[in-house]
Structures are given as C-alpha cells and as structure tokens.
Amino acid sequence: MDGVAQPAFVLMWSSAFIVGIIGVGAAPPMVVLFARYAFAGPLLVLYGLAVHAVWPRGRELRHVIVAGLLMQIVQFGAFYTAMGEHVPAVVIALMQGLNPVVIALFSGVLGEHITRRQWVGFGIGGIGVALAVSDQSAFSWMGLLLCVIGLLGLSLGTVYQKKFTPTVDSRAATAVHQLASAPFAAMLVLLSGNFHISDPGRFGVSLTWMVLMNSMGAFLLLNAMLRRWDATRVGKLFFATPVTTAVLAWLFIAQPLHPLTITGLGVGVIGMVLASRRAPARPAQPEPAAQPAPTAQPAPTVPDALPQLARA
C-alpha cells in the first residue's frame, strides 16, 4: 500500500483524460458518456450491495441524484465535448484541478469565507491555464467555455452535496450518481443524432479502461487511502495529476509539450497549492468578558473536498 497506492492513484486519475480523448476520437462524446454510465452504474450498484453500503432514500436520494447529475452529466458531458473540440488533456486537467478554488468562490452558500491567499492562488491558477492554452494551435474558444462549464458542474455538484447530503455513504452515492446519469446521457445521444462509432476497437478499449480503472479502480483506491491515511496526505496527490496528464498525453496521444505549456503547468500547480492551503491559525488572545462573535469556517481545501470528489 505504501509503495504502490499513491503513484497508482495518480496514474489512474490522470489516465482518465487520455482515454477520454481516445474514446471521443472513436465515437461521439455523448455515446462515450452514455456507455460509461451504462456499464459502470450497474457494476457499482453490485459492488455497493456486496459491501453492504447504506443506500439513500426519499428526499436524501433526490439530493444525491441532483448532485450526481451536476458532477457526471454537466462535468463529463462538457469535458468530453471539449475533447471533441481538440482541447488538450493538460488544459482539461488544469481546469479540473481548480475545483477546490471554485468551491471557495461559492463559499457563501456554505457560510464560509475566502482568504486572501486563496484569491491569489485562484488568480495564479487562472494565469497558468491561460499560458497552457495560449500555446495550443488547434484550440477553440468554445472548447475553453466547455471546460469552464465542466468545472462549474463539478464544483456546484460538490457544494450541493456538501450542503444537502454530507453523511451519505460514498459507495452508494457513487453508484447512484452513475446509474441515474445513464438515462440522461441516453437522451443527449438521441438529441445529438450522432450514433456512429468510427473505430469500435479503440472505443472498446477506452471504455473498458474508463469503467474499470477510472469509475471503479480510482474510486476504490481513493477511499482505501482515505481510510489508511489523513486527508491532507491524500489531497496532495491531486497536485501531481496535471503534470502526469501532460506526460501521458505526450507519450500516448502525441500531444506536444511546448515551453508555454510547461510554464503554464508550473504556474497552475503553484496556484492550486496556494489556493488550497488554509491560513495559519492565530494564537489565542485574551478576550473580554463579553461573548466573542462566532467566526466563519475557512473555505474548503483539497482535503476538505476529497469525500465529495471521491463520489465524482
């Protein structure tokens, strides 16, 4: 566990961007989306039953479905379509990595506040994305807009879930998210009117990896690490995924690593680290007899968002 789990998780998480691009190169994005949930959903339900997961019911179940649609349909629907618009894997990985920062921007919903350091980190992270994007020749503004929509889907889904279903069993929530998303993805396929799979072999290989390694393997490993180690140690692994994604994209799908792309990666990771750190606690000061006013909670960091991210 100590020697293999961490690099294995980073590789599995980063590989999702690579197999996604391979998948949408062989089939329409919405077909890839539907196939992923149609296979992963039932498998995750079987896994949840096998481990005796506690399933949500009633109003709680409805909240889980809403969060799942934001995280799965909005996020991956937008990201897969962006891949179809030739957005590089490293740009999508950087955008997804800004999720904890965007959660902080919605902190008012959770009664939390944003520190000055997080604002600075958000700005630096945005500069990193801009640098990585500026060096891409085959890139469209529509693709960038889709990345923003995907990021908002993940972040809003995380905030919604944290507010309305904070105690739901993550194993059951993951299964419900993907199973409930399958019919919505099917409707998107019908609306697109594009069902043609140009390369069944590549599509089958990428789909198998998405289901087994991304939808199931990465989730199971993430939860195993959270049970064994503290969230801070696990959260730091997400800072390695954009760089790992860039290297994998260069090796397996021939996406070049230009100087500005590398610079944008470095700047973006620095911004992610700054935006995800808590402000140092101040030493306690003597208080007068009057009751002190309650203080707001700090904005969520990468470790804070890990339980919700695990369900994505």
Side-chain angles (χ1 to χ4, degrees):
M1 190 73 177
D2 289 334
V4 176
Q6 296 178 78
F9 173 76
V10 171
L11 285 171
M12 281 194 290
W13 194 273
S14 302
S15 71
F17 303 100
I18 311 304
V19 296
I21 288 176
I22 293 173
V24 299
M30 294 304 102
V31 172
V32 175
L33 192 73
F34 167 71
R36 173 175 176 168
Y37 298 143
F39 284 97
L43 289 174
L44 285 166
V45 169
L46 291 175
Y47 168 74
L49 293 172
V51 298
H52 306 290
V54 180
W55 299 91
R57 299 176 182 274
R59 179 179 296 180
E60 188 177 56
L61 175 60
R62 291 193 291 271
H63 285 314
V64 170
I65 291 173
V66 171
L69 293 178
L70 286 168
M71 290 180 172
Q72 302 295 332
I73 295 297
V74 177
Q75 180 196 187
F76 287 108
F79 281 157
Y80 284 175
T81 308
M83 291 174 185
E85 292 287 326
H86 308 291
V87 178
V90 62
V91 174
I92 299 176
L94 275 173
M95 292 294 287
Q96 192 190 65
L98 292 174
N99 174 50
V101 187
V102 179
I103 291 174
L105 295 177
F106 294 106
S107 58
V109 179
L110 303 174
E112 298 163 348
H113 74 281
I114 310 171
T115 65
R116 182 178 298 177
R117 175 182 292 166
Q118 287 176 314
W119 279 117
V120 172
F122 180 74
I124 293 175
I127 291 171
V129 172
L131 288 172
V133 167
S134 65
D135 207 25
Q136 308 297 329
S137 55
F139 183 76
S140 69
W141 286 106
M142 177 58 69
L144 181 59
L145 177 61
L146 287 165
C147 287
V148 172
I149 293 172
L151 174 60
L152 288 175
L154 174 59
S155 302
L156 287 172
T158 301
V159 171
Y160 186 95
Q161 187 161 259
K162 186 174 181 180
K163 184 174 178 64
F164 293 106
T165 61
T167 60
V168 173
D169 189 318
S170 63
R171 300 165 298 182
T174 304
V176 171
H177 284 183
Q178 305 214 24
L179 193 65
S181 296
F184 286 89
M187 287 190 290
L188 291 175
V189 173
L190 293 174
L191 288 173
S192 70
N194 188 357
F195 318 101
H196 178 64
I197 298 176
S198 60
D199 191 332
R202 286 165 61 90
F203 174 70
V205 170
S206 63
L207 179 62
T208 301
W209 187 275
M210 285 179 199
V211 171
L212 297 181
M213 293 297 173
N214 302 143
S215 293
M216 299 189 69
F219 157 73
L220 295 174
L221 187 53
L222 175 60
N223 280 275
M225 291 189 297
L226 287 171
R227 287 193 298 269
R228 186 179 182 93
W229 302 317
D230 63 90
T232 301
R233 178 178 178 182
V234 179
K236 291 177 180 177
L237 298 177
F238 286 93
F239 299 139
T241 56
V243 177
T244 306
T245 299
V247 174
L248 291 177
W250 175 63
L251 288 173
F252 291 102
I253 55 177
Q255 289 190 350
L257 281 174
H258 299 299
L260 272 180
T261 304
I262 297 172
T263 304
L265 269 173
V267 172
V269 171
I270 291 171
M272 289 164 56
V273 173
L274 284 175
S276 301
R277 290 183 61 187
R278 291 184 184 275
R282 296 180 179 178
Q285 298 292 332
E287 293 288 345
Q291 291 291 332
T295 57
Q297 296 178 354
T301 64
V302 166
D304 294 331
L306 278 176
Q308 285 74 34
L309 191 57
R311 297 168 191 160

